[in-house]
Amino acid sequence: MNRAVNRVFVIGVGMTKFEKPGRREDFDYPDMAKEAVTKAIKDAGVSYKDFEQAFVGYVYGDSTCGQRALYPLGMTGIPIVNVNNNCSSALYLASRQIAGGLSDCVLALGFEKMQRGSLSSQFSDRTNPMDRHIEIMSEKYDFGSGPAAAQLFGNAARDYIKKYNVSPDVLAKIAWKNHKHSVNNPYSQFRDEYTLEEIKKSPMVHEPLTKLQCCPTSDGSGAAVLVSENFLRKHPETQKNAVEILAIEMATDFSSTFDTNDCMRVVGYDMSKQAAQKAYAKAGIKPSDVQVVELHDCFSANELITYEALGLCEEGKAGEFVERGDNTYGGKCVVNPSGGLISKGHPLGATGLAQCAELCWQLRNQADKRQVKGARIALQHNLGLGGACVVAIYRLANLNKARVDSKL
């Protein structure tokens, strides 16, 4: 079904520095949210009173944390919708609110205050939403003592290595690249550069993934101000930094997640591919048109298989893509100039908004030493197992240039 939709623009972004959980005593989720939203509002040139609705993403927290986080910024009575969709952020819902013509100015906020150590289930008296994923993985590989997420993605890497006969060193090279990129990101949790050998020799978490190939748990927040074309034209002062969301698509698991005996599909390959294909079609572009990508590299294994899901290289060619340096400065496109989740950090609910912020800065030519030269089209990939995947495509706003596709 084709339905006409409104154009959606990001006019302001903001985020906190991502921190090791518990490192800052004054960093509770309302503090994080206040910092990120205040920065986004200043960047946009609007006030809190302009927001008609807010969508707030987080994973760990009680009901209505979104309200508690935003009330200190303004109690204006607006609808505040809390979103718990693993890492897939509130950005998707906020954009649909604008696209559907229901609002002209909406806030998307994400934050997370995490426990130290690897992720674990919070409830033992009910069905775990990941039970089928783990069951399918365990039919192929013994369930070990390591973190479940590391086993899921590590076993996906094993499947890829066996299927395409690539060296595990390719995974280490992805992590090496992301740690190197993060050196220039003041928002990154880790800013240390490592040699390839240091990454390979760091403690093994789950074969073939070493510690420096895994994202850390993090505290932090990100925010974005989304508006309609009508709002943008009525407030010309907000146009100077506006970035258009050409397309944003979400996909969830297919039956192939569970019936193909393929751990790459268990961790969301098909979701990523579907969301990407729909986004490219909506935006009217090809993968080769993209210059900069923020990709959900919770583990180096996921970045490897997602190159192919996003069409950045041919199936089975991700190893060659890495070896040629096509994923970094001077290559075909720069993937994770921010340092990605591996180095920047991974506060679950904030990750998608942080990706949005980085890509807006890149398209505005505001990314300082990590700037991708000539960045015109940007792609965001945000994944949550269980599952949900969001792919968004951005370009710098041009109100005199019509969007390629105006259909939903």
Side-chain angles (χ1 to χ4, degrees):
M1 180 183 297
N2 287 332
R3 296 183 292 269
V5 297
N6 295 318
R7 297 168 75 178
V8 182
F9 300 87
V10 181
I11 62 168
V13 291
M15 63 178 287
T16 69
K17 184 181 185 300
F18 287 176
E19 302 278 8
K20 180 179 180 180
R23 181 179 178 274
R24 284 176 51 182
E25 293 182 0
D26 63 339
F27 208 47
D28 202 353
Y29 71 89
D31 306 304
M32 305 174 198
K34 183 177 181 179
E35 181 180 340
V37 174
T38 299
K39 288 179 177 178
I41 286 174
K42 182 179 180 180
D43 189 40
V46 299
S47 72
Y48 188 85
K49 292 181 180 179
D50 289 314
F51 296 133
E52 300 167 53
Q53 188 155 349
F55 294 89
V56 184
Y58 60 93
V59 176
Y60 297 113
D62 292 322
S63 180
T64 68
C65 280
Q67 281 86 327
R68 179 62 183 85
L70 287 174
Y71 281 172
L73 286 151
M75 299 184 70
T76 57
I78 61 170
I80 298 173
V81 179
N82 293 270
V83 183
N84 183 340
N85 212 26
N86 228 326
C87 315
S88 292
S89 74
L91 182 68
Y92 175 79
L93 287 178
S95 68
R96 305 302 277 183
Q97 184 79 5
I98 300 291
L102 301 176
S103 301
D104 284 313
C105 184
V106 173
L107 173 67
L109 168 66
F111 56 75
E112 209 69 64
K113 183 174 177 63
M114 302 185 73
Q115 301 295 319
R116 293 184 180 183
S118 58
L119 302 181
S120 60
S121 176
Q122 302 297 299
F123 302 99
S124 59
D125 61 344
R126 65 204 69 184
T127 299
N128 188 312
M130 291 295 298
D131 63 344
R132 293 187 65 194
H133 300 73
I134 292 173
E135 179 184 348
I136 296 301
M137 178 195 72
S138 299
E139 290 176 358
K140 192 169 187 179
Y141 297 98
D142 290 337
F143 190 79
S145 59
Q151 293 188 58
L152 285 160
F153 285 98
N155 291 334
R158 292 180 183 181
D159 276 4
Y160 189 93
I161 288 168
K162 290 176 184 177
K163 185 175 182 178
Y164 297 114
N165 193 30
V166 300
S167 169
D169 286 359
V170 168
L171 298 167
K173 289 178 180 178
I174 289 171
W176 171 82
K177 178 261 301 179
N178 289 347
H179 283 290
K180 185 177 180 67
H181 287 179
S182 74
V183 170
N184 293 318
N185 187 0
Y187 293 98
S188 183
Q189 183 171 340
F190 299 121
R191 301 184 68 187
D192 297 319
E193 187 173 352
Y194 298 93
T195 66
L196 187 61
E197 284 303 308
E198 287 175 324
I199 289 170
K200 290 165 62 177
K201 292 181 178 179
S202 61
M204 186 62 66
V205 177
H206 182 79
E207 185 73 35
L209 299 175
T210 64
K211 183 177 180 180
L212 289 174
Q213 297 177 47
C214 306
C215 69
T217 51
S218 314
D219 289 348
S221 180
V225 179
L226 277 63
V227 301
S228 66
E229 183 176 2
N230 181 55
F231 184 97
L232 209 57
R233 292 189 183 278
K234 285 185 176 180
H235 302 83
E237 71 280 3
T238 66
Q239 295 177 17
K240 64 182 185 300
N241 286 329
V243 171
E244 184 169 7
I245 301 179
L246 294 178
I248 184 165
E249 295 291 333
M250 177 181 282
T252 58
D253 283 310
F254 295 88
S255 59
S256 57
T257 302
F258 306 111
D259 61 18
T260 57
N261 197 32
D262 183 345
C263 288
M264 289 186 284
R265 285 180 162 80
V266 170
V267 297
Y269 180 91
D270 289 344
M271 287 195 295
S272 295
K273 186 174 182 178
Q274 172 77 356
Q277 289 179 341
K278 290 177 69 176
Y280 289 134
K282 179 78 65 62
I285 67 163
K286 307 181 298 296
S288 58
D289 294 323
V290 175
Q291 291 83 39
V292 58
V293 179
E294 281 289 298
L295 187 157
H296 196 97
D297 62 317
C298 46
F299 299 88
S300 59
N302 198 46
E303 182 163 331
L304 180 72
I305 66 176
T306 304
Y307 292 149
E308 298 177 14
L310 298 179
L312 301 178
C313 65
E314 295 178 12
E315 191 170 308
K317 301 296 184 181
E320 296 175 22
F321 186 75
V322 174
E323 296 288 2
R324 288 194 304 266
D326 282 340
N327 59 352
T328 188
Y329 297 88
K332 288 184 176 180
C333 62
V334 180
V335 181
N336 289 327
S338 68
L341 283 58
I342 284 176
S343 201
K344 181 178 62 182
H346 188 20
L348 304 183
T351 297
L353 274 303
Q355 290 177 326
C356 174
E358 176 67 24
L359 294 178
C360 286
W361 291 326
Q362 289 286 346
L363 292 172
R364 297 174 183 174
N365 198 33
Q366 295 176 338
D368 200 24
K369 292 181 180 180
R370 63 187 187 281
Q371 181 64 49
V372 177
K373 292 182 180 179
R376 300 180 306 279
I377 300 290
L379 182 145
Q380 172 184 1
H381 167 265
N382 195 203
L383 178 77
L385 294 189
C389 178
V390 172
V391 172
I393 297 172
Y394 304 82
R395 76 172 177 201
L396 202 62
N398 183 348
L399 293 183
N400 296 321
K401 184 177 182 180
R403 193 178 62 187
V404 174
D405 186 358
S406 62
K407 300 295 183 182
L408 232 158

